[in-house]
Amino acid sequence: MNLKTLISEESLQKRIKELGNQITEEYKNKELIIICILTGAVYFATELTKYIDNTNLKIEFMKVSSYGNSTESTGEVKIKKDLDSSIAGKNVIIVEDIIDTGLTMHTLKRILLDRKPESLKICTMLDKKERRKVEINADYVGFDIPNKFVLGYGLDYEEYYRNLPYIAYCED
Ligand code: IMP
């Protein structure tokens, strides 16, 4: 594959630190649960939480199905791994790698709101707004990106390329 850099490692680090600082300010003296959506958001969530200065922070993991092996979202969300604890009455931020059509996040948000958190926000590393099929907006966005299939920093193509330390796109 002919990979080109879309977002460098340095730019990612700088932006993630900014988001961490912003979340620190907005959740001062509050308990916070970060829900990292497996597997794609692992790199982003671990880096982000290092910059959130809050000793009342917990990290939870959730795995939901989205694409399967094709590159189109079905809109159907299956929970493959659920949270280990209740989020009722808690301040929660969902941390996702990318919002594309928005179908996954739209459904996931509904599922989590049913569990009655005190607050629920969405933080996404990347946002491909022009691909949206349903109305969903993230509260924190790392980067708005064009309609390209991207890889790296947790994002995969058939499970490969997640370990690239930057965001790449494929030029054919
Ligand atoms: P959505 O339901 O269309 O918003 O899809 C969200 C999920 O699709 C993300 O969590 C990713 O796992 C995957 N996805 C969407 N766009 C890309 C991409 O450009 N590269 C890799 N995975 C992607």
Side-chain angles (χ1 to χ4, degrees):
M1 250 206 265
N2 187 8
L3 297 179
K4 299 265 179 216
T5 302
L6 182 67
I7 305 168
S8 70
E9 194 173 356
E10 292 72 25
S11 308
L12 276 170
Q13 289 298 324
K14 184 169 172 277
R15 184 69 188 123
I16 293 171
K17 194 172 176 185
E18 284 169 5
L19 287 174
N21 291 340
Q22 192 185 341
I23 293 170
T24 300
E25 287 307 311
E26 291 176 19
Y27 288 83
K28 262 209 173 101
N29 306 316
K30 285 186 183 164
E31 267 189 60
L32 177 58
I33 298 182
I34 296 286
I35 301 180
C36 168
I37 306 302
L38 296 171
T39 303
V42 162
Y43 290 73
F44 177 48
T46 49
E47 202 55 30
L48 177 70
T49 49
K50 286 197 261 175
Y51 294 113
I52 303 175
D53 185 8
N54 184 331
T55 48
N56 278 315
L57 181 151
K58 286 184 187 171
I59 305 176
E60 283 266 357
F61 294 90
M62 199 167 178
K63 190 170 176 107
V64 296
S65 66
S66 48
Y67 273 4
N69 282 327
S70 82
T71 47
E72 275 302 316
S73 188
T74 57
E76 209 185 300
V77 170
K78 281 203 196 87
I79 298 178
K80 292 186 165 173
K81 186 223 169 291
D82 208 338
L83 303 174
D84 290 329
S85 56
S86 165
I87 56 166
K90 310 281 188 190
N91 295 300
V92 176
I93 302 179
I94 308 171
V95 175
E96 179 60 299
D97 51 2
I98 186 166
I99 303 181
D100 184 24
T101 63
L103 288 162
T104 308
M105 190 51 79
H106 191 259
T107 311
L108 183 61
K109 189 179 176 188
R110 217 191 48 228
I111 291 169
L112 294 176
L113 279 176
D114 277 351
R115 301 181 185 184
K116 307 273 181 281
E118 167 75 20
S119 66
L120 182 67
K121 289 197 176 181
I122 298 168
C123 177
T124 187
M125 176 170 71
L126 306 176
D127 198 345
K128 260 195 236 176
K129 291 202 173 74
E130 45 174 301
R131 291 254 308 160
R132 247 359 158 267
K133 288 188 180 158
V134 287
E135 164 121 26
I136 183 97
N137 289 309
D139 302 278
Y140 306 99
V141 177
F143 296 88
D144 283 305
I145 62 161
N147 185 8
K148 286 182 190 298
F149 192 80
V150 289
L151 304 162
Y153 215 76
L155 289 152
D156 74 306
Y157 174 66
E158 294 186 351
E159 298 301 326
Y160 293 104
Y161 303 102
R162 292 195 197 274
N163 58 320
L164 292 178
Y166 58 94
I167 305 286
Y169 66 97
C170 169
E171 202 178 63
D172 29 41

